[in-house]
Amino acid sequence: MSNLLVVAELQQDTFRKSVFEAVCHGKKIAKALGASVHVLIPGSIDKQQAAQLGEYGADEVLVAAEEKLKLYNADLYKSVIVNTAKQLDAQVVLFSATFLGKDLAPRVTAALDMVMASDITGYSVDGGNLQVVRPMYAGKVLAKLKLSGKCVISLRPNIFGAEKINEGQQAPVKDAQLPALESKVTVKEFSAKGGDKLDVADADIIITGGRGLRSAENFAMLEKLAALLNAAVGATRAAVDSDWRPHGDQVGQTGKVVSPKLYVMVGASGSIQHWAGMSGSKCIVAINKDPNAPIIQRADYSVVGDLFEILPVLTAEIEKNR
Amino acid sequence: MKIVVCLKQVPDTEANIKIGSDQKSVVEAGMKFIINPFDEFAIEEALKKREAGTAESITVVAMGPERTRDALRSSLELEVNEALHLVTEDDCIDGLAVAKVLAEQIKSMDYGLILMGKEAIDDGNMQVGPMLGELLGIPCISLATRIDIEGDKVTVKRNTDSGVEILESPLPCIITCEKGLNEPRYPSIRGKMKAKKMEIPQQNISLGTAGVEKISMTYPEARSGGRVIGEGPDAVAELVRVLKEEAQVI
Ligand SMILES: Cc1cc2nc3c(=O)[nH]c(=O)nc-3n(C[C@H](O)[C@H](O)[C@H](O)COP(=O)(O)OP(=O)(O)OC[C@H]3O[C@@H](n4cnc5c(N)ncnc54)[C@H](O)[C@@H]3O)c2cc1C
């Protein structure tokens, strides 16, 4: 029987949301390939929590609870993953295309001389070979690719969804075998971002502000609405380039690619480069004073008018409806 | 110390992408090509390091078809020291195959630092930098927003999705560049004049067998026509109702 390895990412000692999606779809791929699913967790996690991945399809969970892996270091994480993949003779190694997955997957691919497809949004198995769909040219086209041989894939987060395939099932949890852990790179400093600051890449709802916001201070209006909806605040490049928002908040072709459930654009025109980063959102709402702004044609719902009049009313209405 | 910058030429961000009749290629006629925007950050950073005296020279290496020369010419206009064109007509989407070609080439070059963009905006693979590090056996730090070099050590700042990291690595190493690192400059008249006379050596290369094969390309489904709920604050109540009841997203 062949093996599929899923790499699970922790954040503050618990699973990131994308882990469940990765395990669940890892299982679906494994089933089609006749493989079993092993989940590797670099870092330490409560055993009970680890075992619960069985519900999502894990046949076995391997925990690499080692002090040196507490802080993310690409070389060390890579070594653990490569070691485990070799032991399992893994046919497929699967990541979520988060920051960490994007950083690690190519290293693992090169170390194991495998074949890689990043940021996939679809897959199928055909005669033992994996075929994947992934956006190219900033989502202007979708490419279908055939991967021959052993491969590494990363799943674009929030696209696939997670379901409990085996309700109630617990997976056996074991210690992962650790190779020698060495890296020339040292982490000098790490400052975790404020606990309440949700990253656009993780959020189910994003409220994005553009040039129409006019100042950094005015983003407080978006923060307020975002807090009510447990949403993240995003920005267009125009807002970032004006120094109103940090670069990490930029959505678009040269920013982050997001696919939340709800994407609200306030005072942003919907340029082709911005669209490239958020067109995968399930529902798009625009608030713009210009009825001819490109985003009004493309959003699912829009309200035309002055954002400074509309936002306070919207915030109050949402608060009332909670 | 010498810096090598890896560059890719890509379609302009505004470009309309038209799929060819073979369903696999993109129609290039009339399309404008640019230096990959993230690679511009790499070039700018290299120029800054040379100005600061930490780097003595900058070599730009680009792999791609004949038209790639234009991007290399643009980099010469910015006054990098030399440009090298690895010529292939193969539209290679296999990141590892590309990294292997670059590794083979760079291995024999004299370098202390390799800079490149965090990803190419055409394939969006985000693979080559870390792969190259692996193949050359040197550290790779991705997504830098600040790079400080002191002696044979480099300190890099980057934003991860859980916070801000400051990393330190010995040279040589590879660093991939993220937006926020710097503001790329425009070429000067002097640079433009100089670049005209410079040679761009070409070298034919062949990509190894690619494990990634393109089967077809399609356009994403167009989003169905949107709906204007109304104008001004009066439309808000209806918007909230629709989001709750129809779209069920709040
Ligand atoms: C290489 C390259 C890469 C790029 N990458 C990105 C990227 O990753 N992300 C990105 O976002 N952009 C990117 N851009 C920039 C992009 O082209 C646009 O310039 C940018 O997205 C515009 O931002 P905006 O919508 O905030 O501003 P604008 O286009 O100026 O739109 C502002 C909108 O606000 C509306 N407005 C103004 N005042 C009000 C008000 N009081 N009430 C209601 N509405 C109001 C206006 O009607 C207008 O539609 C890139 C550009 C290039 C060339």
Side-chain angles (χ1 to χ4, degrees), chain A residues 17 156-159 199-208 231-232 251 256-264 277-284 300, chain B residues 223 249:
Chain A
K17 202 178 87 189
R156 178 172 285 193
N158 277 337
I159 294 279
D199 193 88
V200 286
D202 276 333
D204 270 337
I205 301 182
I206 298 171
I207 318 284
T208 280
V251 173
K256 289 188 176 140
V257 176
V258 298
S259 38
K261 175 170 91 171
L262 173 62
Y263 193 85
V264 183
M278 42 60 74
S279 59
S281 307
K282 269 143 224 135
C283 177
I284 299 170
D300 298 296
Chain B
R223 293 186 78 98
V249 287

PDB file of all heavy atoms in Angstrom, chain A residues 17 156-159 199-208 231-232 251 256-264 277-284 300, chain B residues 223 249:
ATOM      1  N   LYS A  17      -6.877  26.380  10.555  1.00  0.00           N
ATOM      2  CA  LYS A  17      -8.108  25.909   9.922  1.00  0.00           C
ATOM      3  C   LYS A  17      -7.826  25.071   8.669  1.00  0.00           C
ATOM      4  O   LYS A  17      -8.501  24.080   8.398  1.00  0.00           O
ATOM      5  CB  LYS A  17      -8.942  27.138   9.553  1.00  0.00           C
ATOM      6  CG  LYS A  17     -10.398  26.856   9.376  1.00  0.00           C
ATOM      7  CD  LYS A  17     -11.151  28.149   9.072  1.00  0.00           C
ATOM      8  CE  LYS A  17     -11.127  28.429   7.588  1.00  0.00           C
ATOM      9  NZ  LYS A  17     -11.642  29.757   7.235  1.00  0.00           N
ATOM     10  N   ARG A 156      -4.773  25.577  -2.283  1.00  0.00           N
ATOM     11  CA  ARG A 156      -5.142  26.944  -1.936  1.00  0.00           C
ATOM     12  C   ARG A 156      -6.173  26.889  -0.798  1.00  0.00           C
ATOM     13  O   ARG A 156      -7.174  26.175  -0.904  1.00  0.00           O
ATOM     14  CB  ARG A 156      -5.724  27.658  -3.156  1.00  0.00           C
ATOM     15  CG  ARG A 156      -6.158  29.077  -2.826  1.00  0.00           C
ATOM     16  CD  ARG A 156      -6.551  29.839  -4.059  1.00  0.00           C
ATOM     17  NE  ARG A 156      -5.372  30.238  -4.819  1.00  0.00           N
ATOM     18  CZ  ARG A 156      -5.402  31.131  -5.807  1.00  0.00           C
ATOM     19  NH1 ARG A 156      -6.528  31.702  -6.157  1.00  0.00           N
ATOM     20  NH2 ARG A 156      -4.301  31.453  -6.453  1.00  0.00           N
ATOM     21  N   PRO A 157      -5.903  27.608   0.298  1.00  0.00           N
ATOM     22  CA  PRO A 157      -6.812  27.531   1.453  1.00  0.00           C
ATOM     23  C   PRO A 157      -8.207  28.064   1.124  1.00  0.00           C
ATOM     24  O   PRO A 157      -8.371  28.901   0.238  1.00  0.00           O
ATOM     25  CB  PRO A 157      -6.139  28.424   2.500  1.00  0.00           C
ATOM     26  CG  PRO A 157      -4.730  28.577   2.052  1.00  0.00           C
ATOM     27  CD  PRO A 157      -4.743  28.454   0.558  1.00  0.00           C
ATOM     28  N   ASN A 158      -9.190  27.546   1.860  1.00  0.00           N
ATOM     29  CA  ASN A 158     -10.569  28.046   1.767  1.00  0.00           C
ATOM     30  C   ASN A 158     -11.300  27.722   0.483  1.00  0.00           C
ATOM     31  O   ASN A 158     -12.353  28.278   0.216  1.00  0.00           O
ATOM     32  CB  ASN A 158     -10.621  29.575   1.919  1.00  0.00           C
ATOM     33  CG  ASN A 158     -10.604  29.973   3.373  1.00  0.00           C
ATOM     34  OD1 ASN A 158     -10.977  29.181   4.239  1.00  0.00           O
ATOM     35  ND2 ASN A 158     -10.164  31.182   3.650  1.00  0.00           N
ATOM     36  N   ILE A 159     -10.742  26.867  -0.353  1.00  0.00           N
ATOM     37  CA  ILE A 159     -11.397  26.535  -1.604  1.00  0.00           C
ATOM     38  C   ILE A 159     -12.135  25.209  -1.457  1.00  0.00           C
ATOM     39  O   ILE A 159     -13.252  25.042  -1.914  1.00  0.00           O
ATOM     40  CB  ILE A 159     -10.364  26.394  -2.756  1.00  0.00           C
ATOM     41  CG1 ILE A 159      -9.699  27.724  -3.050  1.00  0.00           C
ATOM     42  CG2 ILE A 159     -10.982  25.786  -4.002  1.00  0.00           C
ATOM     43  CD1 ILE A 159     -10.496  28.658  -3.913  1.00  0.00           C
ATOM     44  N   ASP A 199      -5.353  37.730   9.954  1.00  0.00           N
ATOM     45  CA  ASP A 199      -4.726  37.944   8.655  1.00  0.00           C
ATOM     46  C   ASP A 199      -5.749  37.767   7.527  1.00  0.00           C
ATOM     47  O   ASP A 199      -6.620  36.908   7.610  1.00  0.00           O
ATOM     48  CB  ASP A 199      -3.589  36.940   8.463  1.00  0.00           C
ATOM     49  CG  ASP A 199      -2.706  37.303   7.289  1.00  0.00           C
ATOM     50  OD1 ASP A 199      -1.761  38.063   7.501  1.00  0.00           O
ATOM     51  OD2 ASP A 199      -2.988  36.864   6.150  1.00  0.00           O
ATOM     52  N   VAL A 200      -5.615  38.564   6.487  1.00  0.00           N
ATOM     53  CA  VAL A 200      -6.563  38.436   5.371  1.00  0.00           C
ATOM     54  C   VAL A 200      -6.573  37.016   4.793  1.00  0.00           C
ATOM     55  O   VAL A 200      -7.608  36.536   4.348  1.00  0.00           O
ATOM     56  CB  VAL A 200      -6.307  39.458   4.221  1.00  0.00           C
ATOM     57  CG1 VAL A 200      -6.738  40.851   4.609  1.00  0.00           C
ATOM     58  CG2 VAL A 200      -4.870  39.436   3.769  1.00  0.00           C
ATOM     59  N   ALA A 201      -5.415  36.365   4.842  1.00  0.00           N
ATOM     60  CA  ALA A 201      -5.336  35.020   4.268  1.00  0.00           C
ATOM     61  C   ALA A 201      -6.151  34.007   5.066  1.00  0.00           C
ATOM     62  O   ALA A 201      -6.494  32.947   4.558  1.00  0.00           O
ATOM     63  CB  ALA A 201      -3.882  34.574   4.180  1.00  0.00           C
ATOM     64  N   ASP A 202      -6.446  34.311   6.301  1.00  0.00           N
ATOM     65  CA  ASP A 202      -7.142  33.367   7.174  1.00  0.00           C
ATOM     66  C   ASP A 202      -8.618  33.671   7.350  1.00  0.00           C
ATOM     67  O   ASP A 202      -9.372  32.847   7.861  1.00  0.00           O
ATOM     68  CB  ASP A 202      -6.532  33.424   8.585  1.00  0.00           C
ATOM     69  CG  ASP A 202      -5.306  32.555   8.697  1.00  0.00           C
ATOM     70  OD1 ASP A 202      -5.240  31.577   7.946  1.00  0.00           O
ATOM     71  OD2 ASP A 202      -4.439  32.867   9.523  1.00  0.00           O
ATOM     72  N   ALA A 203      -9.016  34.873   6.966  1.00  0.00           N
ATOM     73  CA  ALA A 203     -10.350  35.338   7.362  1.00  0.00           C
ATOM     74  C   ALA A 203     -11.457  34.793   6.471  1.00  0.00           C
ATOM     75  O   ALA A 203     -11.279  34.591   5.270  1.00  0.00           O
ATOM     76  CB  ALA A 203     -10.368  36.862   7.329  1.00  0.00           C
ATOM     77  N   ASP A 204     -12.603  34.574   7.060  1.00  0.00           N
ATOM     78  CA  ASP A 204     -13.789  34.168   6.311  1.00  0.00           C
ATOM     79  C   ASP A 204     -14.475  35.376   5.698  1.00  0.00           C
ATOM     80  O   ASP A 204     -15.232  35.261   4.738  1.00  0.00           O
ATOM     81  CB  ASP A 204     -14.798  33.518   7.263  1.00  0.00           C
ATOM     82  CG  ASP A 204     -14.569  32.034   7.363  1.00  0.00           C
ATOM     83  OD1 ASP A 204     -13.971  31.476   6.422  1.00  0.00           O
ATOM     84  OD2 ASP A 204     -14.983  31.436   8.375  1.00  0.00           O
ATOM     85  N   ILE A 205     -14.262  36.508   6.353  1.00  0.00           N
ATOM     86  CA  ILE A 205     -14.850  37.757   5.851  1.00  0.00           C
ATOM     87  C   ILE A 205     -13.736  38.806   5.804  1.00  0.00           C
ATOM     88  O   ILE A 205     -12.937  38.911   6.729  1.00  0.00           O
ATOM     89  CB  ILE A 205     -15.989  38.244   6.775  1.00  0.00           C
ATOM     90  CG1 ILE A 205     -17.091  37.169   6.866  1.00  0.00           C
ATOM     91  CG2 ILE A 205     -16.559  39.579   6.290  1.00  0.00           C
ATOM     92  CD1 ILE A 205     -18.295  37.565   7.704  1.00  0.00           C
ATOM     93  N   ILE A 206     -13.689  39.550   4.711  1.00  0.00           N
ATOM     94  CA  ILE A 206     -12.677  40.606   4.586  1.00  0.00           C
ATOM     95  C   ILE A 206     -13.370  41.905   4.194  1.00  0.00           C
ATOM     96  O   ILE A 206     -14.228  41.926   3.308  1.00  0.00           O
ATOM     97  CB  ILE A 206     -11.622  40.247   3.512  1.00  0.00           C
ATOM     98  CG1 ILE A 206     -10.875  38.971   3.924  1.00  0.00           C
ATOM     99  CG2 ILE A 206     -10.626  41.392   3.308  1.00  0.00           C
ATOM    100  CD1 ILE A 206      -9.975  38.403   2.841  1.00  0.00           C
ATOM    101  N   ILE A 207     -13.015  42.973   4.892  1.00  0.00           N
ATOM    102  CA  ILE A 207     -13.512  44.299   4.535  1.00  0.00           C
ATOM    103  C   ILE A 207     -12.302  45.068   4.008  1.00  0.00           C
ATOM    104  O   ILE A 207     -11.356  45.323   4.754  1.00  0.00           O
ATOM    105  CB  ILE A 207     -14.054  45.069   5.773  1.00  0.00           C
ATOM    106  CG1 ILE A 207     -14.878  44.163   6.702  1.00  0.00           C
ATOM    107  CG2 ILE A 207     -14.809  46.324   5.350  1.00  0.00           C
ATOM    108  CD1 ILE A 207     -16.257  43.841   6.228  1.00  0.00           C
ATOM    109  N   THR A 208     -12.336  45.387   2.732  1.00  0.00           N
ATOM    110  CA  THR A 208     -11.179  46.042   2.120  1.00  0.00           C
ATOM    111  C   THR A 208     -11.462  47.504   1.824  1.00  0.00           C
ATOM    112  O   THR A 208     -12.550  47.852   1.364  1.00  0.00           O
ATOM    113  CB  THR A 208     -10.784  45.294   0.831  1.00  0.00           C
ATOM    114  OG1 THR A 208     -10.036  44.139   1.183  1.00  0.00           O
ATOM    115  CG2 THR A 208      -9.952  46.154  -0.095  1.00  0.00           C
ATOM    116  N   ALA A 231     -14.044  39.828  11.052  1.00  0.00           N
ATOM    117  CA  ALA A 231     -13.442  39.921   9.719  1.00  0.00           C
ATOM    118  C   ALA A 231     -12.042  40.522   9.798  1.00  0.00           C
ATOM    119  O   ALA A 231     -11.672  41.116  10.808  1.00  0.00           O
ATOM    120  CB  ALA A 231     -14.323  40.787   8.830  1.00  0.00           C
ATOM    121  N   ALA A 232     -11.276  40.356   8.710  1.00  0.00           N
ATOM    122  CA  ALA A 232      -9.977  41.014   8.601  1.00  0.00           C
ATOM    123  C   ALA A 232     -10.145  42.248   7.724  1.00  0.00           C
ATOM    124  O   ALA A 232     -11.057  42.302   6.904  1.00  0.00           O
ATOM    125  CB  ALA A 232      -8.961  40.072   7.973  1.00  0.00           C
ATOM    126  N   VAL A 251      -4.263  43.089  -0.947  1.00  0.00           N
ATOM    127  CA  VAL A 251      -4.855  41.988  -1.687  1.00  0.00           C
ATOM    128  C   VAL A 251      -4.655  42.276  -3.172  1.00  0.00           C
ATOM    129  O   VAL A 251      -4.785  43.420  -3.598  1.00  0.00           O
ATOM    130  CB  VAL A 251      -6.361  41.874  -1.370  1.00  0.00           C
ATOM    131  CG1 VAL A 251      -7.042  40.844  -2.268  1.00  0.00           C
ATOM    132  CG2 VAL A 251      -6.567  41.510   0.101  1.00  0.00           C
ATOM    133  N   LYS A 256      -1.828  39.635  -1.514  1.00  0.00           N
ATOM    134  CA  LYS A 256      -2.266  38.283  -1.177  1.00  0.00           C
ATOM    135  C   LYS A 256      -3.451  37.852  -2.033  1.00  0.00           C
ATOM    136  O   LYS A 256      -4.245  38.674  -2.461  1.00  0.00           O
ATOM    137  CB  LYS A 256      -2.656  38.227   0.297  1.00  0.00           C
ATOM    138  CG  LYS A 256      -1.420  38.319   1.168  1.00  0.00           C
ATOM    139  CD  LYS A 256      -1.713  38.080   2.618  1.00  0.00           C
ATOM    140  CE  LYS A 256      -0.404  38.085   3.385  1.00  0.00           C
ATOM    141  NZ  LYS A 256      -0.496  38.758   4.669  1.00  0.00           N
ATOM    142  N   VAL A 257      -3.531  36.563  -2.247  1.00  0.00           N
ATOM    143  CA  VAL A 257      -4.679  36.002  -2.945  1.00  0.00           C
ATOM    144  C   VAL A 257      -5.594  35.407  -1.887  1.00  0.00           C
ATOM    145  O   VAL A 257      -5.154  34.619  -1.056  1.00  0.00           O
ATOM    146  CB  VAL A 257      -4.232  34.916  -3.940  1.00  0.00           C
ATOM    147  CG1 VAL A 257      -5.432  34.266  -4.593  1.00  0.00           C
ATOM    148  CG2 VAL A 257      -3.322  35.526  -4.983  1.00  0.00           C
ATOM    149  N   VAL A 258      -6.833  35.812  -1.890  1.00  0.00           N
ATOM    150  CA  VAL A 258      -7.746  35.380  -0.837  1.00  0.00           C
ATOM    151  C   VAL A 258      -9.014  34.791  -1.449  1.00  0.00           C
ATOM    152  O   VAL A 258      -9.372  35.108  -2.581  1.00  0.00           O
ATOM    153  CB  VAL A 258      -8.116  36.562   0.088  1.00  0.00           C
ATOM    154  CG1 VAL A 258      -6.882  37.095   0.787  1.00  0.00           C
ATOM    155  CG2 VAL A 258      -8.809  37.686  -0.682  1.00  0.00           C
ATOM    156  N   SER A 259      -9.666  33.928  -0.691  1.00  0.00           N
ATOM    157  CA  SER A 259     -10.948  33.404  -1.175  1.00  0.00           C
ATOM    158  C   SER A 259     -11.923  33.255  -0.007  1.00  0.00           C
ATOM    159  O   SER A 259     -12.293  32.153   0.348  1.00  0.00           O
ATOM    160  CB  SER A 259     -10.760  32.083  -1.905  1.00  0.00           C
ATOM    161  OG  SER A 259      -9.779  31.303  -1.276  1.00  0.00           O
ATOM    162  N   PRO A 260     -12.283  34.375   0.599  1.00  0.00           N
ATOM    163  CA  PRO A 260     -13.189  34.308   1.743  1.00  0.00           C
ATOM    164  C   PRO A 260     -14.631  34.070   1.284  1.00  0.00           C
ATOM    165  O   PRO A 260     -14.931  34.115   0.099  1.00  0.00           O
ATOM    166  CB  PRO A 260     -13.044  35.694   2.357  1.00  0.00           C
ATOM    167  CG  PRO A 260     -12.786  36.583   1.193  1.00  0.00           C
ATOM    168  CD  PRO A 260     -11.952  35.760   0.244  1.00  0.00           C
ATOM    169  N   LYS A 261     -15.463  33.891   2.279  1.00  0.00           N
ATOM    170  CA  LYS A 261     -16.889  33.706   2.047  1.00  0.00           C
ATOM    171  C   LYS A 261     -17.509  35.044   1.628  1.00  0.00           C
ATOM    172  O   LYS A 261     -18.316  35.111   0.719  1.00  0.00           O
ATOM    173  CB  LYS A 261     -17.413  33.204   3.383  1.00  0.00           C
ATOM    174  CG  LYS A 261     -18.816  32.997   3.605  1.00  0.00           C
ATOM    175  CD  LYS A 261     -18.952  32.258   4.962  1.00  0.00           C
ATOM    176  CE  LYS A 261     -19.105  33.329   6.037  1.00  0.00           C
ATOM    177  NZ  LYS A 261     -19.443  32.889   7.347  1.00  0.00           N
ATOM    178  N   LEU A 262     -17.070  36.104   2.260  1.00  0.00           N
ATOM    179  CA  LEU A 262     -17.599  37.438   1.950  1.00  0.00           C
ATOM    180  C   LEU A 262     -16.463  38.453   1.818  1.00  0.00           C
ATOM    181  O   LEU A 262     -15.599  38.538   2.687  1.00  0.00           O
ATOM    182  CB  LEU A 262     -18.562  37.881   3.065  1.00  0.00           C
ATOM    183  CG  LEU A 262     -19.094  39.324   2.986  1.00  0.00           C
ATOM    184  CD1 LEU A 262     -19.901  39.566   1.723  1.00  0.00           C
ATOM    185  CD2 LEU A 262     -19.938  39.646   4.225  1.00  0.00           C
ATOM    186  N   TYR A 263     -16.472  39.193   0.718  1.00  0.00           N
ATOM    187  CA  TYR A 263     -15.438  40.204   0.473  1.00  0.00           C
ATOM    188  C   TYR A 263     -16.138  41.537   0.210  1.00  0.00           C
ATOM    189  O   TYR A 263     -16.863  41.687  -0.776  1.00  0.00           O
ATOM    190  CB  TYR A 263     -14.591  39.797  -0.741  1.00  0.00           C
ATOM    191  CG  TYR A 263     -13.325  40.605  -0.896  1.00  0.00           C
ATOM    192  CD1 TYR A 263     -12.171  40.248  -0.197  1.00  0.00           C
ATOM    193  CD2 TYR A 263     -13.271  41.715  -1.722  1.00  0.00           C
ATOM    194  CE1 TYR A 263     -10.989  40.976  -0.328  1.00  0.00           C
ATOM    195  CE2 TYR A 263     -12.095  42.460  -1.858  1.00  0.00           C
ATOM    196  CZ  TYR A 263     -10.961  42.071  -1.158  1.00  0.00           C
ATOM    197  OH  TYR A 263      -9.801  42.802  -1.284  1.00  0.00           O
ATOM    198  N   VAL A 264     -15.948  42.464   1.113  1.00  0.00           N
ATOM    199  CA  VAL A 264     -16.615  43.766   0.982  1.00  0.00           C
ATOM    200  C   VAL A 264     -15.591  44.810   0.562  1.00  0.00           C
ATOM    201  O   VAL A 264     -14.570  44.990   1.221  1.00  0.00           O
ATOM    202  CB  VAL A 264     -17.257  44.192   2.325  1.00  0.00           C
ATOM    203  CG1 VAL A 264     -18.006  45.509   2.161  1.00  0.00           C
ATOM    204  CG2 VAL A 264     -18.196  43.113   2.848  1.00  0.00           C
ATOM    205  N   GLY A 277      -6.628  39.088  -7.033  1.00  0.00           N
ATOM    206  CA  GLY A 277      -6.405  38.559  -5.697  1.00  0.00           C
ATOM    207  C   GLY A 277      -7.658  38.142  -4.965  1.00  0.00           C
ATOM    208  O   GLY A 277      -7.580  37.467  -3.940  1.00  0.00           O
ATOM    209  N   MET A 278      -8.830  38.557  -5.465  1.00  0.00           N
ATOM    210  CA  MET A 278     -10.026  38.294  -4.666  1.00  0.00           C
ATOM    211  C   MET A 278     -11.203  37.757  -5.469  1.00  0.00           C
ATOM    212  O   MET A 278     -12.289  37.583  -4.927  1.00  0.00           O
ATOM    213  CB  MET A 278     -10.450  39.538  -3.868  1.00  0.00           C
ATOM    214  CG  MET A 278     -10.390  40.884  -4.562  1.00  0.00           C
ATOM    215  SD  MET A 278     -11.407  41.070  -6.030  1.00  0.00           S
ATOM    216  CE  MET A 278     -13.031  41.204  -5.303  1.00  0.00           C
ATOM    217  N   SER A 279     -10.976  37.461  -6.749  1.00  0.00           N
ATOM    218  CA  SER A 279     -12.100  37.032  -7.579  1.00  0.00           C
ATOM    219  C   SER A 279     -12.632  35.665  -7.143  1.00  0.00           C
ATOM    220  O   SER A 279     -13.729  35.277  -7.531  1.00  0.00           O
ATOM    221  CB  SER A 279     -11.704  37.004  -9.050  1.00  0.00           C
ATOM    222  OG  SER A 279     -10.633  36.125  -9.228  1.00  0.00           O
ATOM    223  N   GLY A 280     -11.838  34.928  -6.347  1.00  0.00           N
ATOM    224  CA  GLY A 280     -12.308  33.635  -5.866  1.00  0.00           C
ATOM    225  C   GLY A 280     -13.214  33.732  -4.646  1.00  0.00           C
ATOM    226  O   GLY A 280     -13.634  32.715  -4.101  1.00  0.00           O
ATOM    227  N   SER A 281     -13.518  34.956  -4.209  1.00  0.00           N
ATOM    228  CA  SER A 281     -14.396  35.128  -3.047  1.00  0.00           C
ATOM    229  C   SER A 281     -15.789  34.613  -3.389  1.00  0.00           C
ATOM    230  O   SER A 281     -16.250  34.763  -4.509  1.00  0.00           O
ATOM    231  CB  SER A 281     -14.500  36.607  -2.668  1.00  0.00           C
ATOM    232  OG  SER A 281     -13.214  37.155  -2.499  1.00  0.00           O
ATOM    233  N   LYS A 282     -16.457  34.031  -2.390  1.00  0.00           N
ATOM    234  CA  LYS A 282     -17.772  33.469  -2.692  1.00  0.00           C
ATOM    235  C   LYS A 282     -18.803  34.566  -2.937  1.00  0.00           C
ATOM    236  O   LYS A 282     -19.621  34.475  -3.832  1.00  0.00           O
ATOM    237  CB  LYS A 282     -18.202  32.523  -1.585  1.00  0.00           C
ATOM    238  CG  LYS A 282     -17.743  31.121  -1.898  1.00  0.00           C
ATOM    239  CD  LYS A 282     -17.307  30.331  -0.681  1.00  0.00           C
ATOM    240  CE  LYS A 282     -16.017  29.590  -0.981  1.00  0.00           C
ATOM    241  NZ  LYS A 282     -15.005  29.663   0.036  1.00  0.00           N
ATOM    242  N   CYS A 283     -18.760  35.621  -2.128  1.00  0.00           N
ATOM    243  CA  CYS A 283     -19.713  36.714  -2.317  1.00  0.00           C
ATOM    244  C   CYS A 283     -18.962  38.048  -2.248  1.00  0.00           C
ATOM    245  O   CYS A 283     -18.185  38.278  -1.321  1.00  0.00           O
ATOM    246  CB  CYS A 283     -20.787  36.640  -1.225  1.00  0.00           C
ATOM    247  SG  CYS A 283     -21.966  37.989  -1.287  1.00  0.00           S
ATOM    248  N   ILE A 284     -19.169  38.879  -3.249  1.00  0.00           N
ATOM    249  CA  ILE A 284     -18.461  40.162  -3.296  1.00  0.00           C
ATOM    250  C   ILE A 284     -19.460  41.308  -3.198  1.00  0.00           C
ATOM    251  O   ILE A 284     -20.465  41.328  -3.909  1.00  0.00           O
ATOM    252  CB  ILE A 284     -17.640  40.294  -4.602  1.00  0.00           C
ATOM    253  CG1 ILE A 284     -16.599  39.162  -4.668  1.00  0.00           C
ATOM    254  CG2 ILE A 284     -16.959  41.653  -4.688  1.00  0.00           C
ATOM    255  CD1 ILE A 284     -15.893  39.057  -6.014  1.00  0.00           C
ATOM    256  N   ASP A 300     -21.302  40.918  -6.566  1.00  0.00           N
ATOM    257  CA  ASP A 300     -22.608  40.272  -6.477  1.00  0.00           C
ATOM    258  C   ASP A 300     -23.661  41.283  -6.034  1.00  0.00           C
ATOM    259  O   ASP A 300     -24.774  41.288  -6.529  1.00  0.00           O
ATOM    260  CB  ASP A 300     -22.537  39.106  -5.491  1.00  0.00           C
ATOM    261  CG  ASP A 300     -21.557  38.051  -5.956  1.00  0.00           C
ATOM    262  OD1 ASP A 300     -21.822  37.462  -7.020  1.00  0.00           O
ATOM    263  OD2 ASP A 300     -20.522  37.854  -5.299  1.00  0.00           O
TER     264      ASP A 300
ATOM    265  N   ARG B 223     -18.320  35.539 -13.422  1.00  0.00           N
ATOM    266  CA  ARG B 223     -19.283  35.685 -12.323  1.00  0.00           C
ATOM    267  C   ARG B 223     -20.586  36.192 -12.905  1.00  0.00           C
ATOM    268  O   ARG B 223     -20.599  37.038 -13.784  1.00  0.00           O
ATOM    269  CB  ARG B 223     -18.748  36.660 -11.279  1.00  0.00           C
ATOM    270  CG  ARG B 223     -17.530  36.144 -10.557  1.00  0.00           C
ATOM    271  CD  ARG B 223     -17.152  37.082  -9.441  1.00  0.00           C
ATOM    272  NE  ARG B 223     -18.009  36.926  -8.281  1.00  0.00           N
ATOM    273  CZ  ARG B 223     -17.690  36.209  -7.220  1.00  0.00           C
ATOM    274  NH1 ARG B 223     -16.551  35.571  -7.177  1.00  0.00           N
ATOM    275  NH2 ARG B 223     -18.503  36.128  -6.195  1.00  0.00           N
ATOM    276  N   VAL B 249     -24.093  34.772   4.182  1.00  0.00           N
ATOM    277  CA  VAL B 249     -22.667  34.913   4.483  1.00  0.00           C
ATOM    278  C   VAL B 249     -22.402  35.676   5.782  1.00  0.00           C
ATOM    279  O   VAL B 249     -21.256  35.778   6.212  1.00  0.00           O
ATOM    280  CB  VAL B 249     -21.901  35.574   3.313  1.00  0.00           C
ATOM    281  CG1 VAL B 249     -21.754  34.603   2.151  1.00  0.00           C
ATOM    282  CG2 VAL B 249     -22.575  36.857   2.855  1.00  0.00           C
TER     283      VAL B 249
END
